[in-house]
Amino acid sequence: MKFKSIINFEKTTLKLFTFFYNLALFGIYFCNLPKIFIQKYFYGKYSYSLSERMGYNFPKIDSKGRFVIWIHAVSVGETLAVVSLVRELKKKFDNPCIIISSITETGHAEAKKNFVCADAHVFLPLDFSWIINSFIKKCPPNLVVVSETDFWFNFLSSCKNVGAKIALVNGKLSRKSTERLQLFNFFAKKIFSNFDLICLQSEQYYSRFVKVGCIPEKLFVTGNLKLDSDPFFIKPEELSAWKKELGIQEKDFVVVIGSTHHPEESLLIDKFKFFWEKGFPLKIVLVPRHPERFDKVADYLTSQEIPFVRLSATKYKKGEERVVLIDSMGLLKKCYQLADLAIVAGSFCEEVGGHNIIEPCWYGVPTLFGPNMNNQLELVDLVKKYQSGIQLEIEDLQSTMTNLFTSKTDRERLGQGGLLLVNNSKGASKITLNLIINELGKK
């Protein structure tokens, strides 16, 4: 009798928690409706994802009795991190039914490109219980793999209710997220209790997950999956042809600035004006992080009277352009192969917290990045360990670049450090895969 009372109490508590969670979520989304409206109708940000995020147009998926693996990766970085792991999971489970869910349109596009083998690519709906429950029942998963940091309570609970095992891979928690979850410890415990296995990038993240109430027996430090990603190489003749298309000449010193956010374009470009005024043959390849900002960045370059050409309009180039604006997605790795020097953005503005500073290392390209790397601390440690890049304040960019422009030896030393980093840091995918097979296979 006492046992039944405990179960009934837990069910009642869960219902109350779900009710208040849905209520809070409704308040958050309601307050953000004007922003969503502006971004959709003025900037086209949610041009084809909004209906699916509201729970409509879920594709028909026939698993044909196969084992169903659901991979959730919120955006581009999280998607790229699990590419190698998903390929291995497909082999281990003998051609399972694979569903890939994303939240951002850029992440969705990246998933389609990298996971051609998937049975479906979907946008994860808003995390209201009545939408999510219906969504999950259409193709109940056997195994759910969540990449990095996207923890949605109703999504996880609904998957758990249909009998799925749930693994977090490449897991991490920022310092701010840890502090917030500690304030709402009951909420944190409810979310993370859904996970059967939590694979983390570093010991630092291990301690943070313990602080927010995770059971240590579920936690494993496996390393960073991003280091197992397969670098994309283009052939020398293709690289030469692309340089010609972009107007890059032999004399040009090419700096690729990847994944920029507002106001990083203006902050960084301002530091380059000095070199152009001195007559240095500096060519910038500028790659904004989000497509809805392409026009804004073009407008900024125009306002500064900086000669530039957009990738989509290279046939109109005059040969005097100082900046090539990459106004197409999925080309960052290709761009890094053009570079004499790379700057990884998202690190010069506090709200972003950094991007993948390892990507230029795959190509032996010396790398610079800013002070705001709170979401990529383990990558900063690696880069510093192998001396493959330099972290700096925006005020120091001009002097640092002057040194690197004039010292080929320093550039080569950084580039070699990057190649060594990549070669010595692989293995997280294999460790994570074995844990999924062994740990979840026991339950």
Side-chain angles (χ1 to χ4, degrees):
M1 192 72 179
K2 186 177 180 181
F3 182 68
K4 286 185 178 180
S5 298
I6 293 172
I7 292 175
N8 289 333
F9 175 76
E10 288 181 348
K11 286 182 178 179
T12 303
T13 303
L14 183 60
K15 285 180 181 178
L16 284 171
F17 179 84
T18 303
F19 172 78
F20 285 110
Y21 174 80
N22 285 328
L23 191 64
L25 209 59
F26 179 81
I28 293 169
Y29 285 132
F30 183 79
C31 291
N32 278 282
L33 275 177
K35 181 180 177 182
I36 293 170
F37 177 85
I38 291 170
Q39 288 179 328
K40 176 175 172 58
Y41 291 102
F42 287 89
Y43 302 110
K45 186 171 181 180
Y46 306 108
S47 56
Y48 64 94
S49 63
L50 193 59
S51 63
E52 281 196 43
R53 296 227 59 207
M54 296 297 294
Y56 299 106
N57 303 322
F58 186 84
K60 292 182 179 179
I61 304 171
D62 184 5
S63 67
K64 298 178 181 178
R66 292 177 292 162
F67 190 87
V68 178
I69 301 177
W70 191 307
I71 311 292
H72 178 63
V74 58
S75 193
V76 175
E78 294 83 356
T79 301
L80 291 173
V82 294
V83 170
S84 297
L85 179 65
V86 173
R87 288 174 184 164
E88 292 304 314
L89 283 170
K90 186 173 176 65
K91 294 176 187 176
K92 282 287 183 182
F93 285 91
D94 190 24
N95 192 34
C97 174
I98 295 179
I99 301 170
I100 310 286
S101 62
S102 312
I103 286 183
T104 69
E105 292 187 354
T106 51
H108 185 72
E110 196 67 42
K112 280 191 166 184
K113 184 174 75 173
N114 284 281
F115 302 118
V116 180
C117 63
D119 293 78
H121 300 84
V122 301
F123 286 99
L124 191 72
L126 304 180
D127 199 44
F128 294 111
S129 56
W130 58 89
I131 298 178
I132 286 289
N133 290 339
S134 173
F135 193 76
I136 296 300
K137 286 176 182 176
K138 290 177 180 178
C139 192
N142 301 103
L143 171 65
V144 176
V145 177
V146 178
S147 178
E148 295 202 12
T149 60
D150 212 36
F151 316 126
W152 294 103
F153 173 72
N154 283 326
F155 170 66
L156 296 172
S157 297
S158 185
C159 291
K160 204 71 183 165
N161 289 338
V162 297
K165 298 298 181 184
I166 305 177
L168 173 66
V169 300
N170 221 39
K172 62 180 183 178
L173 272 181
S174 69
R175 178 178 52 80
K176 287 184 179 179
S177 294
T178 303
E179 291 170 355
R180 289 170 187 156
L181 289 170
Q182 283 182 290
L183 286 175
F184 301 96
N185 192 251
F186 177 76
F187 174 67
K189 286 183 177 179
K190 283 289 183 185
I191 287 181
F192 292 117
S193 66
N194 288 298
F195 286 100
D196 299 287
L197 173 67
I198 298 177
C199 300
L200 305 172
Q201 296 180 20
S202 68
E203 293 288 348
Q204 184 179 49
Y205 292 131
Y206 181 97
S207 65
R208 288 178 180 177
F209 273 80
V210 171
K211 284 179 181 178
V212 300
C214 290
I215 300 171
E217 287 74 18
K218 292 183 180 182
L219 304 177
F220 297 86
V221 177
T222 54
N224 197 321
L225 291 175
K226 289 178 180 177
L227 297 171
D228 284 352
S229 298
D230 295 326
F232 163 74
F233 290 98
I234 57 178
K235 296 177 181 177
E237 58 271 22
E238 292 174 347
L239 186 62
S240 179
W242 203 41
K243 283 183 177 181
K244 185 176 180 181
E245 179 186 348
L246 300 182
I248 296 173
Q249 302 175 38
E250 283 296 321
K251 65 180 178 65
D252 290 332
F253 188 98
V254 181
V255 176
V256 173
I257 311 176
S259 300
T260 56
H261 298 253
H262 176 76
E264 289 180 308
E265 294 88 6
S266 59
L267 289 174
L268 294 166
I269 292 291
D270 188 58
K271 299 299 179 183
F272 298 132
K273 291 177 181 177
F274 167 83
F275 299 103
W276 288 323
E277 289 169 1
K278 295 292 183 181
F280 193 87
L282 174 64
K283 179 84 76 172
I284 304 299
V285 178
L286 185 58
V287 191
R289 181 73 173 184
H290 297 118
E292 64 271 15
R293 297 194 60 250
F294 292 156
D295 290 340
K296 284 186 176 181
V297 176
D299 290 343
Y300 162 75
L301 293 170
T302 301
S303 71
Q304 295 296 302
E305 298 182 349
I306 297 171
F308 77 98
V309 64
R310 298 174 68 138
L311 175 64
S312 59
T314 51
K315 63 182 178 180
Y316 301 114
K317 65 181 181 293
K318 298 177 180 178
E320 301 174 355
E321 291 80 12
R322 292 174 173 172
V323 176
V324 179
L325 174 59
I326 304 298
D327 57 354
S328 181
M329 297 302 295
L331 295 175
L332 185 55
K333 292 179 184 177
K334 188 176 180 180
C335 288
Y336 281 140
Q337 294 175 68
L338 298 167
D340 294 296
L341 179 67
I343 299 176
V344 181
S347 56
F348 294 95
C349 47
E350 290 186 10
E351 62 273 16
V352 178
H355 289 304
N356 187 356
I357 55 177
I358 304 299
E359 281 185 323
C361 296
W362 290 333
Y363 309 106
V365 175
T367 305
L368 306 181
F369 54 95
N372 301 305
M373 291 290 294
N374 295 329
N375 294 332
Q376 307 287 348
L377 294 175
E378 73 292 341
L379 298 186
V380 174
D381 290 340
L382 273 172
V383 165
K384 289 182 176 179
K385 176 182 176 182
Y386 285 92
Q387 299 181 36
S388 60
I390 300 172
Q391 186 173 26
L392 42 67
E393 299 286 341
I394 191 71
E395 294 80 12
D396 299 322
L397 182 60
Q398 187 175 302
S399 60
T400 301
M401 288 179 62
T402 299
N403 293 334
L404 290 173
F405 287 161
T406 56
S407 177
K408 185 177 180 181
T409 301
D410 286 348
R411 296 199 306 270
E412 288 178 346
R413 175 178 53 80
L414 291 168
Q416 289 301 314
L419 294 174
L420 189 62
L421 182 160
V422 172
N423 289 333
N424 290 355
S425 304
K426 293 182 178 295
S429 295
K430 185 177 180 180
I431 296 170
T432 303
L433 177 68
N434 289 337
L435 282 169
I436 290 174
I437 302 298
N438 297 331
E439 293 297 320
L440 300 190
K442 295 176 184 176
K443 300 176 181 181

Coordinates of all heavy atoms in Angstrom, one line a residue, residues 58-71 86 89-90 93-101 108 111-112 114-122 139:
F58 N 4.9 16.4 -40.3 CA 5.8 15.4 -40.0 C 5.8 14.3 -41.0 O 4.7 13.8 -41.4 CB 5.5 14.8 -38.6 CG 6.5 13.8 -38.1 CD1 7.6 14.2 -37.4 CD2 6.4 12.4 -38.3 CE1 8.6 13.3 -37.0 CE2 7.3 11.5 -37.9 CZ 8.4 12.0 -37.2
P59 N 7.0 13.9 -41.6 CA 7.0 13.0 -42.7 C 6.5 11.6 -42.3 O 6.7 11.2 -41.1 CB 8.4 13.0 -43.1 CG 9.2 13.4 -41.9 CD 8.3 14.4 -41.2
K60 N 5.9 10.8 -43.2 CA 5.6 9.5 -42.9 C 6.8 8.6 -42.9 O 7.6 8.6 -43.9 CB 4.6 8.9 -43.9 CG 3.2 9.6 -43.8 CD 2.2 9.0 -44.8 CE 0.9 9.7 -44.7 NZ -0.1 9.2 -45.7
I61 N 7.1 7.9 -41.8 CA 8.3 7.1 -41.7 C 7.8 5.6 -41.4 O 7.2 5.4 -40.4 CB 9.2 7.6 -40.5 CG1 9.5 9.0 -40.7 CG2 10.4 6.7 -40.5 CD1 10.2 9.7 -39.6
D62 N 8.2 4.8 -42.3 CA 7.9 3.3 -42.0 C 9.2 2.6 -41.7 O 10.1 2.4 -42.5 CB 7.3 2.7 -43.3 CG 6.9 1.3 -43.1 OD1 7.0 0.8 -42.0 OD2 6.5 0.6 -44.1
S63 N 9.3 2.3 -40.4 CA 10.6 1.7 -39.9 C 10.7 0.2 -40.4 O 11.8 -0.4 -40.3 CB 10.7 1.7 -38.4 OG 9.6 0.9 -37.8
K64 N 9.6 -0.4 -40.8 CA 9.5 -1.7 -41.3 C 10.1 -2.7 -40.2 O 10.8 -3.7 -40.6 CB 10.3 -1.9 -42.6 CG 9.7 -1.1 -43.7 CD 10.5 -1.2 -45.0 CE 9.8 -0.3 -46.1 NZ 10.6 -0.3 -47.4
G65 N 9.8 -2.4 -39.0 CA 10.2 -3.3 -37.9 C 11.7 -3.1 -37.5 O 12.2 -3.9 -36.7
R66 N 12.4 -2.2 -38.1 CA 13.8 -2.0 -37.8 C 14.0 -1.3 -36.5 O 13.1 -0.6 -36.0 CB 14.5 -1.2 -38.9 CG 14.6 -2.0 -40.2 CD 15.3 -1.1 -41.3 NE 14.4 0.1 -41.7 CZ 14.8 1.2 -42.3 NH1 16.1 1.3 -42.6 NH2 14.0 2.1 -42.6
F67 N 15.2 -1.4 -35.9 CA 15.6 -0.7 -34.7 C 15.6 0.8 -35.1 O 16.3 1.2 -36.1 CB 16.9 -1.2 -34.3 CG 17.4 -0.7 -32.9 CD1 17.0 -1.4 -31.8 CD2 18.1 0.5 -32.8 CE1 17.4 -0.9 -30.5 CE2 18.5 0.9 -31.5 CZ 18.2 0.2 -30.4
V68 N 14.9 1.7 -34.3 CA 14.8 3.1 -34.6 C 15.8 3.9 -33.7 O 15.7 3.9 -32.5 CB 13.4 3.6 -34.4 CG1 13.3 5.1 -34.7 CG2 12.4 2.8 -35.3
I69 N 16.7 4.6 -34.4 CA 17.7 5.5 -33.7 C 17.3 6.9 -34.0 O 17.3 7.3 -35.2 CB 19.1 5.2 -34.1 CG1 19.5 3.7 -33.8 CG2 20.1 6.1 -33.4 CD1 20.9 3.4 -34.2
W70 N 17.1 7.7 -33.0 CA 16.7 9.1 -33.2 C 17.9 10.0 -32.7 O 18.3 9.9 -31.6 CB 15.5 9.5 -32.3 CG 14.9 10.8 -32.6 CD1 15.5 12.0 -32.7 CD2 13.5 11.1 -33.0 NE1 14.6 13.0 -33.0 CE2 13.4 12.5 -33.2 CE3 12.4 10.3 -33.1 CZ2 12.2 13.1 -33.5 CZ3 11.2 10.9 -33.4 CH2 11.1 12.2 -33.6
I71 N 18.5 10.7 -33.7 CA 19.6 11.6 -33.4 C 19.1 13.0 -33.3 O 18.5 13.5 -34.3 CB 20.7 11.5 -34.4 CG1 21.1 10.1 -34.8 CG2 21.9 12.4 -34.0 CD1 21.8 9.4 -33.7
V86 N 27.4 8.5 -35.9 CA 26.2 8.0 -36.5 C 26.5 6.9 -37.6 O 25.8 5.9 -37.7 CB 25.4 9.2 -37.1 CG1 24.2 8.6 -38.0 CG2 24.8 10.1 -36.0
L89 N 27.1 3.8 -35.6 CA 25.9 3.3 -35.1 C 25.1 2.5 -36.2 O 24.5 1.5 -35.9 CB 25.0 4.4 -34.5 CG 25.4 4.9 -33.2 CD1 24.7 6.2 -32.8 CD2 25.2 3.9 -32.1
K90 N 25.1 3.1 -37.4 CA 24.4 2.4 -38.5 C 25.0 1.1 -38.8 O 24.2 0.1 -39.1 CB 24.5 3.3 -39.7 CG 23.6 2.8 -40.9 CD 23.6 3.8 -42.0 CE 22.9 3.2 -43.3 NZ 21.4 3.1 -43.0
F93 N 24.1 -1.5 -35.6 CA 22.8 -1.9 -35.4 C 22.2 -2.5 -36.7 O 20.9 -2.7 -36.8 CB 21.9 -0.8 -34.9 CG 22.1 -0.5 -33.5 CD1 23.1 0.5 -33.1 CD2 21.4 -1.1 -32.5 CE1 23.3 0.8 -31.8 CE2 21.6 -0.8 -31.2 CZ 22.6 0.1 -30.8
D94 N 23.0 -2.8 -37.7 CA 22.6 -3.5 -38.9 C 21.4 -2.8 -39.6 O 20.3 -3.3 -39.6 CB 22.2 -5.0 -38.5 CG 22.0 -5.8 -39.8 OD1 22.6 -5.5 -40.8 OD2 21.2 -6.8 -39.7
N95 N 21.8 -1.7 -40.2 CA 20.9 -0.9 -41.0 C 19.6 -0.5 -40.2 O 18.5 -0.8 -40.6 CB 20.5 -1.7 -42.3 CG 19.7 -0.8 -43.3 OD1 20.0 0.4 -43.4 ND2 18.8 -1.4 -44.0
P96 N 19.7 0.3 -39.2 CA 18.6 0.7 -38.4 C 17.8 1.8 -39.2 O 18.3 2.4 -40.1 CB 19.2 1.3 -37.1 CG 20.5 1.8 -37.6 CD 21.0 0.8 -38.6
C97 N 16.7 2.2 -38.7 CA 15.9 3.3 -39.2 C 16.4 4.6 -38.4 O 16.4 4.6 -37.2 CB 14.4 3.2 -38.9 SG 13.4 4.6 -39.3
I98 N 17.0 5.5 -39.1 CA 17.6 6.7 -38.5 C 16.8 8.0 -38.8 O 16.5 8.3 -39.9 CB 19.1 6.9 -39.0 CG1 19.9 5.7 -38.5 CG2 19.7 8.2 -38.4 CD1 21.4 5.7 -39.0
I99 N 16.5 8.6 -37.7 CA 15.8 9.9 -37.8 C 16.7 11.0 -37.2 O 17.3 10.8 -36.1 CB 14.5 9.9 -37.0 CG1 13.5 8.8 -37.5 CG2 13.8 11.3 -37.0 CD1 12.3 8.6 -36.6
I100 N 16.9 12.1 -38.0 CA 17.7 13.2 -37.5 C 16.8 14.4 -37.3 O 16.1 14.8 -38.2 CB 18.8 13.6 -38.6 CG1 19.6 12.3 -39.1 CG2 19.7 14.6 -38.1 CD1 20.6 11.8 -38.1
S101 N 16.9 14.9 -36.1 CA 16.1 16.1 -35.8 C 17.0 17.3 -35.5 O 18.1 17.2 -34.9 CB 15.1 15.9 -34.6 OG 15.8 15.7 -33.4
H108 N 19.6 21.9 -40.0 CA 18.8 21.0 -40.8 C 19.5 20.7 -42.2 O 19.6 19.6 -42.6 CB 17.4 21.6 -41.0 CG 16.5 20.7 -41.7 ND1 15.9 19.6 -41.2 CD2 16.0 20.7 -43.0 CE1 15.1 19.0 -42.0 NE2 15.1 19.7 -43.1
A111 N 22.6 18.6 -41.7 CA 22.2 17.2 -41.4 C 21.8 16.5 -42.8 O 22.2 15.3 -43.0 CB 21.0 17.1 -40.5
K112 N 21.1 17.2 -43.6 CA 20.8 16.6 -44.9 C 22.0 16.3 -45.8 O 22.1 15.3 -46.5 CB 19.8 17.5 -45.7 CG 18.4 17.5 -45.2 CD 17.5 18.2 -46.2 CE 16.0 17.9 -45.9 NZ 15.1 18.5 -46.9
N114 N 25.2 15.7 -44.6 CA 26.1 14.8 -44.0 C 25.4 13.4 -43.7 O 26.1 12.4 -43.5 CB 26.7 15.3 -42.7 CG 27.7 16.4 -42.9 OD1 28.9 16.0 -43.2 ND2 27.4 17.6 -42.8
F115 N 24.1 13.4 -43.5 CA 23.4 12.1 -43.2 C 22.4 11.7 -44.3 O 21.2 11.7 -44.1 CB 22.7 12.3 -41.9 CG 23.5 12.6 -40.7 CD1 23.3 13.8 -40.0 CD2 24.6 11.8 -40.3 CE1 24.1 14.1 -38.9 CE2 25.4 12.1 -39.2 CZ 25.2 13.3 -38.6
V116 N 23.0 11.5 -45.5 CA 22.2 11.0 -46.6 C 21.6 9.7 -46.3 O 20.5 9.4 -46.8 CB 23.1 10.9 -47.9 CG1 22.3 10.5 -49.1 CG2 23.8 12.3 -48.2
C117 N 22.2 8.9 -45.4 CA 21.7 7.6 -45.1 C 20.5 7.6 -44.2 O 19.8 6.6 -44.0 CB 22.8 6.8 -44.3 SG 23.3 7.6 -42.7
A118 N 20.1 8.8 -43.6 CA 19.0 8.9 -42.7 C 17.7 8.6 -43.4 O 17.5 9.0 -44.6 CB 19.0 10.2 -42.0
D119 N 16.7 8.0 -42.7 CA 15.4 7.8 -43.2 C 14.5 9.0 -43.2 O 13.6 9.2 -44.0 CB 14.7 6.7 -42.4 CG 15.4 5.3 -42.6 OD1 16.4 5.1 -42.0 OD2 14.9 4.5 -43.4
A120 N 14.8 10.0 -42.3 CA 14.1 11.2 -42.2 C 14.9 12.3 -41.6 O 15.7 12.0 -40.7 CB 12.8 11.0 -41.5
H121 N 14.7 13.5 -42.1 CA 15.3 14.7 -41.5 C 14.2 15.6 -41.1 O 13.4 16.0 -41.9 CB 16.2 15.5 -42.5 CG 17.4 14.6 -43.0 ND1 17.2 13.8 -44.0 CD2 18.6 14.5 -42.6 CE1 18.4 13.2 -44.3 NE2 19.3 13.6 -43.4
V122 N 14.0 15.9 -39.8 CA 12.9 16.7 -39.3 C 13.3 17.8 -38.4 O 14.5 17.8 -37.9 CB 11.9 15.8 -38.5 CG1 11.4 14.6 -39.4 CG2 12.6 15.2 -37.2
C139 N 6.6 7.6 -34.8 CA 7.7 6.7 -35.0 C 8.5 6.6 -33.7 O 9.6 7.2 -33.6 CB 8.6 7.2 -36.2 SG 9.8 5.9 -36.8

